[in-house]
């Protein structure tokens, strides 16, 4: 058939003989191409969890109440994906079947490298990935000790972690972290923010067929000019998004605490009497900054620990930045609250554009009695940085390292630490490069290439869990 279509004949018009020679060649080419594709794009999975609990997962729209400009109450919801300890093992799809194709298309459109954005098929294999988490499984009712034995007389109660994703991320792309923490006895409420910074957030549907995406805010880049030393308007636009994130984090905290008191129809898994009242805020990049900002204005006594990875400090709210840097730190002459000096040189004066929307005396040495602080509370703090951000001094790493080393950050008797993960790039906190071929991530310069992304994930989680275990022992 191939010979006839190409009008290829031998001198005697013997088509069959030429066709019989063509088929093995074409077959060999097909097999070769298939083999090459299997090598270049192998089947990839997230790593297995290492904790003593099985993991359950449930999707929930947690209620959110906020005041509009007229101080009238209006209702909304926060899209979340909750991972939690369970005594029932199982597995589920990384992406749900209904929205899988839409997810890969949106994620590539928002966060893919510009030349590759139209080619969502490059991550279509994510729709086949399975994770060791059972959908809507019952939360654990039996505690398990460190040796793996059931402690029958111990009522299972678990601390809650509110996890905030990074810019262009979403709850799905931090699944490994959430599962690993859940397997060690934490309930992880992973948010899909609705501030226009998420690559995939679906608003609460009014009916089963409705899919209403929160659009990614590409317009915000109109404020960004790479030739400027400071992009004040761009940073302030990010801080406006941060205000929304803070409200969502605090709403999620209130909602999950309510679920500890009674079950509600918006969550298919019961957490009644299974949660402690100690809240842990955690996040990566934009989400790390959101966690710090939210902790600054949370109700006193609720937030016990903050764990942040490459926090985008400059994008924190004004209140949040001042709460983090409110100690009068002077190694020279003079000093102002929120202004950090060393040997007479200003190290920090409020970040890009300085402080706004606070006491008019703040930048002149005045203090506001209502101004919250992250240092006169019982909050423990961990700052983890990739060596990429340390080398570039992004996220104010050098300032925080200086302050922590000199015991200028954190309350007395509370732990505050900073650590750097070697051979790690910023984007390796998410699942993306665990689920992408190693060679492709390296070509994109998205990983250091010196170690596997899953190894980076495991070190990240080891440091986080060691910190959290230390907090448990302290309590």
């Amino acid at each position: 058939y191939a010979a006839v279509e190409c009008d290829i004949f031998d001198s005697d018009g013997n088509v069959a003989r030429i066709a019989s020679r063509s088929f093995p060649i074409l077959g060999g080419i097909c097999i070769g191409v298939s083999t090459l594709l299997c090598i270049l794009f192998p089947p990839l999975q997230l790593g297995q969890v290492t904790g003593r609990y099985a993991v359950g997962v449930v999707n929930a729209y947690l209620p959110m109440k906020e005041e509009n400009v007229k101080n009238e109450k209006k209702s909304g919801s926060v899209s979340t994906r909750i991972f939690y300890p369970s005594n029932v093992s199982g597995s589920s799809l990384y992406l749900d079947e209904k929205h899988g194709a839409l997810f890969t298309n949106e994620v590539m459109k928002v966060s893919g490298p510009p030349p590759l954005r139209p080619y969502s098929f490059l991550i279509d294999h994510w729709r086949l990935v399975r994770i060791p988490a059972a959908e809507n499984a019952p939360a654990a009712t039996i505690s398990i000790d460190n040796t793996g034995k059931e402690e029958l007389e111990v009522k299972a109660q678990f601390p809650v972690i509110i996890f905030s994703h990074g810019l262009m991320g979403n709850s799905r792309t931090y699944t490994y972290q959430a599962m690993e923490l859940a397997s060690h006895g934490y309930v992880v409420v992973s948010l899909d923010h609705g501030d226009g910074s998420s690559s995939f957030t679906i608003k609460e549907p009014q009916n089963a067929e409705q899919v209403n995406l929160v659009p990614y805010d590409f317009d915000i880049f109109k404020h960004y000019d790479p030739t400027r030393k400071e992009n004040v308007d761009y940073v302030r636009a990010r801080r406006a998004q941060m205000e929304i994130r803070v409200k969502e984090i605090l709403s999620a905290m209130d909602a999950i605490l309510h679920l500890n008191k009674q079950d509600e129809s918006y969550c298919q898994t019961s957490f009644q009497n299974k949660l402690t009242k100690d809240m842990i805020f955690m996040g990566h990049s934009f989400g790390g900054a959101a966690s710090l900002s939210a902790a600054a204005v949370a109700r006193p006594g609720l937030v016990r620990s903050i764990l942040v990875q490459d926090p985008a400090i400059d994008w924190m709210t004004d209140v949040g930045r001042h709460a983090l840097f409110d100690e009068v730190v002077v190694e020279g002459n003079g000093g102002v609250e929120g202004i950090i000096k060393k040997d007479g040189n200003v190290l920090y004066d409020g970040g890009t554009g300085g402080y706004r929307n606070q006491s008019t005396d703040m930048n002149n040495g005045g203090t506001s009695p209502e101004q919250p602080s992250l240092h006169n509370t019982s909050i423990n703090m961990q700052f983890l940085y990739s060596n990429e951000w340390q080398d570039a001094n992004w996220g104010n790493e050098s300032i925080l390292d200086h302050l922590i080393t000199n015991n200028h950050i954190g309350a007395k008797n509370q732990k505050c630490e900073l650590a750097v993960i070697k051979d790690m790039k910023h984007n390796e906190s998410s699942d993306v490069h665990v689920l992408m071929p190693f060679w492709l991530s390296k070509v994109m310069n998205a990983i250091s290439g010196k170690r596997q992304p899953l190894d980076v994930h495991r070190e990240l989680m080891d440091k986080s869990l060691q910190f959290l275990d230390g907090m448990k022992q302290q309590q």
Side-chain angles (χ1 to χ4, degrees):
Y1 173 77
V4 172
E5 285 294 301
C6 298
D7 294 327
I8 300 174
F9 300 89
D10 64 5
S11 58
D12 299 323
N14 197 339
V15 177
R17 195 187 321 164
I18 296 176
S20 66
R21 293 174 183 172
S22 302
F23 285 134
I25 296 173
L26 292 173
I29 292 172
C30 290
I31 293 172
V33 170
S34 299
T35 303
L36 180 62
L37 288 173
C38 288
I39 294 171
L40 292 176
F41 297 95
L44 298 167
Q45 298 287 336
L46 292 181
Q48 293 295 310
V49 297
T50 63
R52 54 192 182 271
Y53 288 96
V55 178
V57 59
V58 62
N59 298 320
Y61 286 97
L62 301 182
M64 176 178 175
K65 293 182 179 180
E66 58 179 334
E67 293 181 0
N68 59 20
V69 292
K70 296 181 180 179
N71 295 322
E72 297 171 343
K73 295 289 184 180
K74 62 177 182 178
S75 299
S77 61
V78 186
S79 174
T80 67
R81 189 161 166 79
I82 306 174
F83 291 85
Y84 51 90
S86 178
N87 300 128
V88 178
S89 299
S91 68
S92 57
L93 286 170
Y94 182 69
L95 305 178
D96 63 81
E97 291 185 61
K98 181 179 179 181
H99 302 126
L102 181 62
F103 179 95
T104 55
N105 182 65
E106 288 297 315
V107 167
M108 282 299 291
K109 183 173 72 175
V110 170
S111 56
L116 301 180
R117 286 179 180 172
Y119 308 114
S120 62
F121 69 85
L122 290 172
I123 60 171
D124 258 0
H125 62 280
W126 291 10
R127 297 165 63 185
L128 303 176
V129 172
R130 297 196 69 84
I131 59 174
E135 285 188 342
N136 305 327
T141 55
I142 300 173
S143 291
I144 301 174
D145 65 19
N146 290 325
T147 66
K149 294 181 179 179
E150 294 181 352
E151 299 177 297
L152 298 179
E153 296 181 1
V154 177
K155 187 178 181 180
Q157 284 196 312
F158 306 105
V160 176
I161 296 175
I162 309 292
F163 192 97
S164 177
H165 62 74
L167 181 67
M168 299 183 183
N170 57 74
S171 64
R172 303 273 174 169
T173 53
Y174 292 86
T175 292
Y176 178 78
Q177 287 200 46
M179 289 194 306
E180 179 68 2
L181 292 165
S183 77
H184 285 269
Y186 295 90
V187 173
V188 184
V189 183
S190 192
L191 276 60
D192 285 313
H193 286 292
D195 61 336
S197 69
S198 167
S199 57
F200 192 78
T201 296
I202 297 179
K203 294 180 182 178
E204 185 171 6
Q206 300 301 314
N207 56 68
E209 302 302 320
Q210 186 182 38
V211 178
N212 191 4
L213 282 176
V214 176
Y216 184 80
D217 185 5
F218 287 102
D219 290 339
I220 201 170
F221 291 104
K222 294 177 181 178
H223 300 294
Y224 184 77
D225 182 352
T227 64
R228 294 179 187 169
K229 185 178 180 180
E230 286 192 342
N231 282 271
V232 176
D233 290 341
Y234 174 74
V235 171
R236 286 177 176 166
R238 289 297 183 197
R239 290 173 185 164
Q241 289 181 315
M242 184 65 71
E243 298 284 357
I244 299 172
R245 281 180 169 239
V246 167
K247 291 177 182 178
E248 291 174 334
I249 290 171
L250 297 180
S251 292
M253 178 184 72
D254 289 340
I256 199 73
L257 286 172
H258 175 75
L259 288 175
N260 188 47
K261 296 178 181 178
Q262 66 181 61
D263 296 334
E264 295 289 355
S265 59
Y266 53 76
C267 184
Q268 297 182 48
T269 298
S270 173
F271 293 106
Q272 190 171 359
N273 299 321
K274 293 187 176 71
L275 310 175
T276 69
K277 292 182 179 180
D278 295 330
M279 290 286 125
I280 300 162
F281 286 177
M282 189 171 181
H284 171 235
S285 192
F286 203 2
S291 298
L292 289 163
S293 297
V297 293
R299 296 197 306 279
L302 282 180
V303 182
R304 296 290 297 173
S305 298
I306 310 169
L307 292 82
V308 293
Q309 305 158 10
D310 281 351
I313 299 294
D314 204 30
W315 293 357
M316 288 175 64
T317 60
D318 287 354
V319 172
R321 295 193 321 284
H322 197 275
L324 181 61
F325 295 120
D326 71 336
E327 293 286 274
V328 178
V329 180
V330 181
E331 296 178 13
N333 297 318
V336 183
E337 263 200 5
I339 309 296
I340 299 170
K341 292 186 177 183
K342 179 183 179 183
D343 300 328
N345 298 315
V346 175
L347 295 183
Y348 187 81
D349 59 356
T352 302
Y355 296 111
R356 298 177 70 189
N357 303 325
Q358 297 195 35
S359 168
T360 55
D361 295 328
M362 185 172 294
N363 285 322
N364 298 312
T367 60
S368 171
E370 295 82 19
Q371 175 65 38
S373 171
L374 289 172
H375 308 286
N376 55 11
T377 62
S378 57
I379 297 177
N380 304 284
M381 290 183 279
Q382 183 192 58
F383 298 83
L384 293 180
Y385 283 88
S386 63
N387 72 299
E388 179 188 25
W389 272 41
Q390 181 195 38
D391 292 345
N393 193 27
W394 291 334
N396 300 99
E397 188 274 338
S398 63
I399 297 173
L400 286 165
D401 186 43
H402 167 73
L403 297 179
I404 292 171
T405 301
N406 290 279
N407 298 317
H408 289 309
I409 281 192
K412 292 181 180 180
N413 303 320
Q414 301 303 316
K415 189 168 184 178
C416 186
E417 67 176 31
L418 184 148
V420 177
I421 299 179
K422 294 181 178 179
D423 300 325
M424 176 186 177
K425 286 207 167 186
H426 178 68
N427 289 330
E428 291 184 81
S429 283
S430 75
D431 303 336
V432 171
H433 297 289
V434 177
L435 295 175
M436 286 184 68
F438 184 79
W439 67 268
L440 183 56
S441 294
K442 194 171 180 180
V443 167
M444 294 165 53
N445 198 30
I447 61 174
S448 70
K450 296 180 180 179
R451 56 197 298 201
Q452 291 290 335
L454 185 57
D455 292 338
V456 174
H457 262 191
R458 285 174 175 154
E459 182 179 349
L460 192 67
M461 284 292 91
D462 285 345
K463 290 186 181 297
S464 298
L465 287 164
Q466 287 170 12
F467 182 83
L468 290 170
D469 287 345
M471 297 307 97
K472 283 183 178 180
Q473 292 172 11
Q474 185 186 59
Q475 292 177 28

